Amino acid sequence: MEEIREAIGIDKATTSGSLIFIEEHHHSDANFVLQAIIAHCKEKNHMLNLVLFHNTFGHFHNVGMKLGYNLKKDLNNTVNVIEPLKVVSKNIHLQNSDNIKENLEFDITNKSTHLVNQLVKIIKDECISKAKEMSEQKVYLIIDDLSHLFDVGLNVQDIWYFIRCIRSFINDEPLLTLCVTSHVFDSSLEFCETNIIANVLKHSADLVIVVRPLETGQSREISGKLAVYWKSESERLRFKWSEEMTYLYKLHDREVKLFAPGSSRIM
């Protein structure tokens, strides 16, 4: 994953206090970018907080084992995991029981800002509190995948409120890097809630990474296109990056190969 880390620049530029947004287009899979960021955290011994709506922790661990790192070994130490949909499943079971003896931690029947506040509190209690215990350590908070919040009945306003709450963590934790992934659909759709959220995040993020399929269709040699946008002009000048850096990529079982557009040579 070293070539991916180099391509997106996280091994060079300063990301503390930044928002990284990964936009995953329909018919593509941006998971390899997350794995590169996780590998970076493991190598640099950064604290890693995973808020997982899409892939499970088991998935990230299994892929990590192929890439040479063990997430389970550091679980509840430098690696912390929240899987809200598992909490939802538990709550549904409690609601269906005859006698509810405990308060619901994440009540999806309450589709309002109260639901968002519940989720934010879970993240803050489980992740940010542990980050404060290691005040000098850099922290990555990864949310995968934000678009699944629509699946629990939240609307655009609710999710934007959630983003604002999470983004405020950066103000309290200057060593924290917030990384958010979200799925988007065909841009020709007149109204698509996931696309609205993605567009807002693209404007507010410090680093935007876009993963999309090939416009020309499927290929045995290329899996898709990777585009990297650093908003900071000072960082671009410092490392001589262009405003938009575009690559073609090919996914393999244990690695990802990058190519310059129009080239068959590995970068």
Side-chain angles (χ1 to χ4, degrees), residues 3 221-222 246-250 252 256-267:
E3 61 270 35
E221 304 299 327
I222 300 295
T246 304
Y247 309 90
L248 301 177
Y249 68 90
K250 174 63 178 176
H252 295 275
V256 181
K257 294 181 179 179
L258 290 182
F259 305 86
S263 171
S264 60
R265 298 183 62 184
I266 301 174
M267 297 186 68

Side-chain angles (χ1 to χ4, degrees), residues 31-149:
N31 187 255
F32 70 94
V33 179
L34 283 181
Q35 294 292 348
I37 294 174
I38 291 172
H40 171 74
C41 292
K42 292 293 293 177
E43 181 179 305
K44 302 297 183 181
N45 198 33
H46 298 333
M47 178 172 283
L48 181 62
N49 297 314
L50 299 171
V51 181
L52 305 178
F53 293 98
H54 186 61
N55 293 303
T56 64
F57 174 72
H59 166 81
F60 284 101
H61 171 71
N62 291 338
V63 174
M65 292 297 287
K66 290 183 179 181
L67 299 176
Y69 57 84
N70 188 334
L71 288 178
K72 283 186 178 178
K73 185 178 70 173
D74 296 320
L75 190 60
N76 298 322
N77 184 14
T78 57
V79 177
N80 302 298
V81 180
I82 298 173
E83 295 182 276
L85 295 185
K86 286 189 175 181
V87 180
V88 169
S89 177
K90 173 187 173 184
N91 290 347
I92 291 174
H93 175 74
L94 289 173
Q95 287 174 320
N96 291 334
S97 64
D98 295 331
N99 185 20
I100 301 177
K101 296 183 179 180
E102 55 183 295
N103 294 326
L104 297 180
E105 188 178 12
F106 189 45
D107 185 5
I108 63 172
T109 63
N110 193 347
K111 297 180 177 64
S112 66
T113 54
H114 177 68
L115 175 60
V116 176
N117 289 331
Q118 284 181 304
L119 179 56
V120 170
K121 185 178 185 302
I122 292 172
I123 296 173
K124 189 171 185 178
D125 290 348
E126 294 295 326
C127 297
I128 306 303
S129 59
K130 291 186 178 180
K132 289 183 177 180
E133 296 174 6
M134 303 178 181
S135 57
E136 300 301 320
Q137 193 169 11
K138 291 186 178 180
V139 180
Y140 274 71
L141 174 58
I142 295 177
I143 301 176
D144 175 44
D145 158 335
L146 193 68
S147 59
H148 284 291
L149 287 178

Side-chain angles (χ1 to χ4, degrees), residues 190-244:
E190 291 185 6
F191 180 79
C192 181
E193 291 180 321
T194 58
N195 292 13
I196 293 172
I197 291 297
N199 286 333
V200 173
L201 283 168
K202 286 171 75 173
H203 284 290
S204 59
D206 302 285
L207 168 60
V208 177
I209 303 167
V210 179
V211 179
R212 56 167 59 94
L214 294 173
E215 292 90 342
T216 54
Q218 295 184 344
S219 168
R220 289 186 300 176
E221 304 299 327
I222 300 295
S223 301
K225 183 182 292 186
L226 173 71
V228 181
Y229 307 85
W230 274 96
K231 298 291 187 65
S232 171
E233 185 176 359
S234 61
E235 293 287 359
R236 294 202 307 268
L237 291 174
R238 179 184 174 192
F239 298 107
K240 299 180 180 179
W241 290 332
S242 59
E243 190 169 345
E244 176 184 351

